[in-house]
Amino acid sequence: MSIELLPFQTKASQQIVARYGLLVSDKRRPIEYMGWPTPFYQALASLTGSGKTAILADTVSLLRAGMHLEPIVLWISKSKAVVDQTFANFEAGGKYEHLIPEFTTTYLGEAKIDQIHDDTRAFILLTTVGSFNQKSKGDGKLKVHQKDEDENDGALWEILAERKAPGASDRRPLIIVYDEAHNLSDQQTDLLLELEPDVILAASATMRTPGKLGQIIDRLKQAGWSAEAVSDADESPSRCLVTAIKSKEPVDAGLVKRQIVLGGYDTEMETTLNDMIEDFQLATLKADELEAGFLPKAIYVCRTNISQEDGTADNPHRPFNQRKAPPILIWRYLTEEKGIPADEIALYCDLKMSQKDYPAPEGFTLFSGGEDDFAVFSQGTYRHIIFNQSLQEGWDDPACCFAYIDKSMGSALQVEQVIGRVLRQPGARHYPDPLLNTANFYIRIDSKQEFPKILEIVRRKIASEMPDVKLDGFSDARDRRRARIEPKQTLSIPEIHIDADESVEPLTEAIASIHDYTADSVNIQGAGQLTRAVQQIGDGSKPSIETHVKDHSNRVIARWLVRRHMQSRYPEAVKTIDWADPKFEARIEITSVAAQQLREDAESLVDTYLSHAELSFEESNPYAVGAIFVRPDAIHVFTNAVHDGYSDLNGPELAVAQEIDGVGLPWARNPVNGGYSIPLLDKGESRRFFPDFLVWKDDKVIAIDPKGGFLLQTEAGRKLLAIRDEKGQQRVLVRFITEGTWSSETMKQTSNAGFSVWRMTTTGQIRCTSHADVAGAVKKALELK
């Protein structure tokens, strides 16, 4: 199933490409040596699960479209598992195939020399660093450095460095993409720089720049480029070397889990595992009740060939039930004590076994990390995976919500390194039960003094890399259980979805008016650029950079251009378009008049969709208030709330909550991400509105939000206030409370004193009333008229 890019992802790729254009058009661009300008460098810094691969795929498509020759992309990762996973996503039927429509994907080791010579086709060559990382290429151990006996052109690596057809004057652009770039070494950098790339894109959740690459970056810095991440305004690229994704964006989009809970256990392995399995079984039950579409998974990270009792080497030449290696003990506990079927458990580690003399029991599935093991493992449906660090790189499964980490016996396992393996959110959405939105860690330690150190290390990592992911830690299992509060009664509210039926006809008319460029040979043409370093011979002068305008840039399909622009503005609108219309098959150059017009058409299609789409109720699928997580030491207790109390209320929210509670109506604090939400019909980056409080009164629900004033002057805000069912009745009443006195006629604040309550009248007019205090504002907000 293909994925649709989110606005923050398209913004990131557009920013990278705009910065590339800034460098190649700079006449003072630094050079490495004659004929090779300093390559464009950009680091994509983003947390695990935010869609780095999708962003990079979109980026290379945009870069290709502006180049005068079809580029070659060398896509590299340390792990073969990651490379194979990327290949599966890029090939026909893969979830990223539509992001790279003009590229042919193959493995570097399977590439043919004539493919590198063919400058009419764009290629993505996937490989691991191990395929080329060889200090001395002369010993011929690696295929890419060997000369093909059937072809006398030279080794593949040499041909890739030259990358031009025989007799051609220009060589093809080379884009190097290094996924998980924190693994890049100096030797690997030296080999890659031998290829004289035009672009280097480095992606990682944790950025580190090795020495040789650092020298290139230093030259760019001397030319005015900065390593401090900034977000560019539209049409105003900055000389910045880093594109950073704020953690709030993937969290709000539902791509990553919204919180991490760590538990420290100074106890035996069985007690720690028991607590995790209890929560695991509860999460499984909740996933089934909520029809989440996935079953939770758990990982178990431990040392391998040591004795759980004393840390000495475990003896593989003993009967299976006498072994003391942690992976075996965990497997036995899961199957023998907890009744988990053996076919749901996989071990992925270098566990030593004496299979001939002391065979493992039936159903014991061990992957030792061989060449094909990961592919076979990935095809399985294992819900419990026992592994050491060998599986951390390249493996992550959104369904994984639980992790047991054994740091006893002096283990060097780093908790913060495992977090990324559990951070992705299943289904790319948050659920009403917090267990399904949480990365739950159960850490076995030698002493209670060790856990605060672990917690502080993880806290620093969270603060620096993912500040919008909440972190809680418990050293007492009872506190962990007290942190979960179930609702005291069942309360539900109708879900609200986008009804786009009324937009279909206007969109059809709008598409009919879009010009058909399939037979156009003039407006589809646009200029490209070629940058060269020119060296005067004999006078000792330095090379100069020359930018030549070429007649053409590479062509793209109109469908890709229009669809992509709509995704960057409002992704839901893409689903309403009939993309089978033949005019979307037109091939145009991205710098052409036609391309600019199609972008404007795409913007108009989004506007048409938003102006005709409405919010409507979905009776068959009500949202039910679920359990919540609180901090037991910071809870505010309430009498009439559906939960015993809440711990995430700031000052203004607490004041509103206390006034609501005093009225005597049933109410709930609505959590962001996983709580009740309403779609926003707006081109802003926020896609859904989460009201702070829900109050049940008679047959209606009143959604009160003290922070929603920013929506008042938008069409999206008007539609929130005006939601009605098919009979014209308001089942959910949205009320905004803003500080100060406001005028509903001018929509401007007239005084800092008091509070204002906003609602919409039956005639569709936004009105506000002024109140001296919070009590008066809440009383007004709870009125049904």
Side-chain angles (χ1 to χ4, degrees):
M1 183 181 70
S2 63
I3 61 104
E4 300 292 352
L5 289 176
L6 299 169
F8 81 85
Q9 295 170 329
T10 58
K11 181 179 178 180
S13 57
Q14 286 171 339
Q15 178 172 285
I16 294 172
V17 174
R19 290 174 177 178
Y20 168 76
L22 193 64
L23 180 66
V24 298
S25 61
D26 188 352
K27 294 182 179 180
R28 293 176 293 179
R29 178 182 182 178
I31 66 166
E32 298 305 301
Y33 44 77
M34 185 176 66
W36 181 36
T38 297
F40 171 75
Y41 172 83
Q42 194 75 183
L44 177 61
S46 183
L47 59 87
T48 298
S50 58
K52 289 193 296 291
T53 302
I55 294 171
L56 292 170
D58 190 49
T59 299
V60 299
S61 283
L62 286 174
L63 287 171
R64 172 207 162 266
M67 292 173 168
H68 74 290
L69 288 176
E70 297 287 5
I72 296 173
V73 178
L74 185 60
W75 197 295
I76 307 165
S77 183
K78 176 183 177 182
S79 165
K80 183 179 184 297
V82 174
V83 170
D84 290 343
Q85 190 177 66
T86 305
F87 183 83
N89 289 333
F90 283 174
E91 67 178 342
K95 63 180 180 180
Y96 298 146
E97 177 200 11
H98 63 293
L99 300 179
I100 50 169
E102 303 296 330
F103 285 90
T104 299
T105 303
T106 188
Y107 289 103
L108 175 64
E110 298 175 3
K112 303 299 182 184
I113 290 177
D114 60 356
Q115 292 176 322
I116 297 174
H117 286 162
D118 183 3
D119 55 15
T120 65
R121 297 171 62 197
F123 282 92
I124 293 178
L125 307 178
L126 291 158
T127 190
T128 64
V129 292
S131 70
F132 64 84
N133 188 24
Q134 184 173 302
K135 188 172 184 179
S136 174
K137 299 191 292 295
D139 60 17
K141 291 181 180 178
L142 297 180
K143 183 178 179 180
V144 296
H145 300 307
Q146 298 173 349
K147 291 189 177 182
D148 194 319
E149 295 181 358
D150 298 325
E151 301 185 43
N152 298 318
D153 301 72
L156 182 63
W157 200 254
E158 296 172 356
I159 302 298
L160 191 58
E162 183 183 9
R163 59 182 180 281
K164 62 181 181 180
S169 59
D170 300 334
R171 69 177 177 180
R172 304 175 64 178
L174 175 64
I175 302 169
I176 290 178
V177 177
Y178 199 123
D179 201 0
E180 302 295 340
H182 54 274
N183 294 309
L184 193 61
S185 69
D186 270 358
Q187 179 172 299
Q188 295 163 15
T189 305
D190 285 342
L191 288 164
L192 291 174
L193 295 183
E194 287 181 2
L195 300 176
E196 300 180 7
D198 298 86
V199 176
I200 299 174
L201 303 177
S204 178
T206 54
M207 290 309 305
R208 182 182 67 85
T209 306
K212 297 299 174 67
L213 184 55
Q215 293 174 13
I216 283 180
I217 292 172
D218 286 341
R219 277 186 278 280
L220 291 169
K221 287 180 179 179
Q222 292 168 7
W225 289 73
S226 169
E228 184 175 347
V230 297
S231 181
D232 297 348
D234 291 342
E235 309 300 329
S236 299
S238 64
R239 296 175 182 270
C240 183
L241 299 166
V242 180
T243 290
I245 304 295
K246 295 178 181 178
S247 63
K248 182 179 187 302
E249 293 170 313
V251 171
D252 287 351
L255 298 180
V256 299
K257 295 182 172 71
R258 66 184 301 262
Q259 64 184 0
I260 297 169
V261 177
L262 304 182
Y265 288 78
D266 177 20
T267 184
E268 65 272 7
M269 178 192 74
E270 289 80 3
T271 299
T272 311
L273 291 175
N274 182 70
D275 279 8
M276 187 175 86
I277 295 302
E278 283 186 1
D279 288 343
F280 176 90
Q281 291 170 339
L282 176 60
T284 301
L285 177 64
K286 294 299 181 182
D288 182 61
E289 289 178 355
L290 296 170
E291 298 181 354
F294 77 98
L295 291 175
K297 295 184 180 182
I299 59 174
Y300 306 77
V301 189
C302 58
R303 298 181 71 185
T304 306
N305 293 301
I306 58 106
S307 169
Q308 182 70 32
E309 294 178 347
D310 55 16
T312 60
D314 179 58
N315 184 2
H317 301 289
R318 299 180 65 183
F320 184 83
N321 60 3
Q322 295 180 19
R323 297 283 301 273
K324 301 299 180 183
I328 292 177
L329 295 179
I330 292 171
W331 186 90
R332 290 188 60 196
Y333 179 80
L334 295 178
T335 56
E336 297 172 8
E337 300 297 327
K338 308 307 292 184
I340 295 172
D343 60 6
E344 293 185 3
I345 307 172
L347 293 86
Y348 201 106
C349 52
D350 56 353
L351 179 67
K352 295 178 181 178
M353 298 291 294
S354 179
Q355 200 64 21
K356 180 180 179 182
D357 298 325
Y358 300 102
E362 185 177 353
F364 185 81
T365 305
L366 174 62
F367 299 94
S368 58
E371 184 75 11
D372 299 319
D373 274 356
F374 187 84
V376 177
F377 163 77
S378 300
Q379 293 171 2
T381 57
Y382 307 107
R383 296 186 62 199
H384 302 265
I385 299 97
I386 304 168
F387 67 90
N388 55 18
Q389 287 179 303
S390 64
L391 189 60
Q392 290 180 27
E393 192 76 52
W395 182 86
D396 48 57
D397 190 322
C400 185
C401 303
F402 297 88
Y404 165 83
I405 300 179
D406 194 336
K407 282 186 64 65
S408 65
M409 307 308 299
S411 170
L413 293 170
Q414 300 301 311
V415 176
E416 66 272 22
Q417 293 177 358
V418 184
I419 286 176
R421 302 307 107 206
V422 193
L423 202 58
R424 294 180 188 270
Q425 176 67 9
R429 67 184 182 95
H430 295 113
Y431 301 90
D433 194 283
L435 263 182
L436 305 180
N437 307 323
T438 303
N440 299 278
F441 286 81
Y442 303 75
I443 307 168
R444 183 168 178 259
I445 52 181
D446 277 332
S447 67
K448 289 185 177 179
Q449 288 72 32
E450 187 178 2
F451 184 66
K453 298 177 184 177
I454 295 172
L455 190 60
E456 180 57 29
I457 291 172
V458 175
R459 195 180 303 279
R460 287 200 298 266
K461 179 182 177 71
I462 299 299
S464 63
E465 297 179 19
M466 46 189 104
D468 293 282
V469 177
K470 294 181 180 179
L471 173 65
D472 284 317
F474 301 103
S475 56
D476 189 327
R478 290 172 296 180
D479 283 341
R480 190 168 196 146
R481 287 190 287 272
R482 285 195 291 264
R484 180 184 174 89
I485 300 181
E486 298 287 348
K488 293 182 288 188
Q489 58 179 306
T490 300
L491 292 176
S492 63
I493 178 172
E495 288 277 17
I496 295 173
H497 71 280
I498 299 173
D499 182 356
D501 289 349
E502 295 300 318
S503 68
V504 174
E505 186 174 341
L507 283 172
T508 302
E509 294 174 357
I511 292 172
S513 67
I514 294 176
H515 183 72
D516 187 348
Y517 293 99
T518 53
D520 193 322
S521 60
V522 178
N523 293 307
I524 65 168
Q525 296 184 18
Q529 285 187 339
L530 169 64
T531 303
R532 285 177 173 165
V534 180
Q535 173 72 64
Q536 299 296 324
I537 304 298
D539 62 1
S541 64
K542 294 182 178 180
S544 61
I545 301 296
E546 293 183 359
T547 301
H548 300 274
V549 176
K550 307 295 288 186
D551 291 337
H552 302 285
S553 57
N554 286 321
R555 292 190 178 186
V556 297
I557 300 174
R559 180 187 298 105
W560 175 84
L561 186 70
V562 175
R563 184 187 183 101
R564 193 193 170 284
H565 187 86
M566 292 181 69
Q567 285 173 333
S568 71
R569 307 300 285 150
Y570 198 83
E572 289 296 318
V574 171
K575 302 175 183 177
T576 317
I577 304 298
D578 178 12
W579 295 108
D581 192 304
K583 68 177 61 176
F584 290 129
E585 296 291 339
R587 299 185 65 82
I588 59 175
E589 295 172 21
I590 203 166
T591 55
S592 66
V593 172
Q596 180 57 37
Q597 181 58 51
L598 286 172
R599 292 189 194 96
E600 295 175 7
D601 292 334
E603 190 77 18
S604 178
L605 289 174
V606 172
D607 290 337
T608 300
Y609 174 88
L610 291 175
S611 64
H612 290 85
E614 298 291 341
L615 298 175
S616 63
F617 292 104
E618 191 175 346
E619 295 286 355
S620 61
N621 185 30
Y623 168 87
V625 176
I628 59 168
F629 277 159
V630 299
R631 291 196 60 83
D633 59 348
I635 190 171
H636 296 281
V637 177
F638 296 98
T639 302
N640 297 299
V642 69
H643 303 102
D644 289 333
Y646 306 100
S647 63
D648 61 343
L649 298 165
N650 60 31
E653 293 168 346
L654 179 59
V656 172
Q658 289 170 335
E659 294 299 333
I660 293 174
D661 195 58
V663 174
L665 296 170
W667 66 280
R669 162 68 159 156
N670 185 46
V672 175
N673 299 327
Y676 180 74
S677 66
I678 305 172
L680 282 175
L681 293 171
D682 185 67
K683 288 189 285 192
E685 293 186 3
S686 297
R687 301 170 67 203
R688 304 190 73 84
F689 169 67
F690 290 83
D692 278 343
F693 303 103
L694 302 172
V695 185
W696 282 258
K697 186 176 183 179
D698 297 340
D699 60 345
K700 293 180 172 58
V701 180
I702 305 169
I704 299 177
D705 193 280
K707 305 188 301 294
F710 69 96
L711 290 166
L712 288 171
Q713 298 186 16
T714 68
E715 183 64 21
R718 295 183 62 86
K719 290 190 175 183
L720 277 176
L721 294 172
I723 307 169
R724 296 178 184 273
D725 64 17
E726 67 279 358
K727 297 180 181 179
Q729 300 298 312
Q730 286 188 292
R731 302 279 305 284
V732 176
L733 290 77
V734 177
R735 301 284 189 258
F736 296 138
I737 298 178
T738 56
E739 291 187 3
T741 303
W742 291 68
S743 166
S744 55
E745 283 75 24
T746 64
M747 301 296 288
K748 292 183 179 180
Q749 188 172 356
T750 59
S751 170
N752 292 327
F755 297 85
S756 296
V757 177
W758 299 83
R759 72 189 193 285
M760 181 168 282
T761 67
T762 54
T763 59
Q765 300 298 311
I766 292 181
R767 291 288 180 260
C768 74
T769 54
S770 300
H771 307 273
D773 52 27
V774 173
V778 169
K779 181 179 179 181
K780 183 64 178 179
L782 292 175
E783 291 181 0
L784 297 182
K785 293 184 179 180

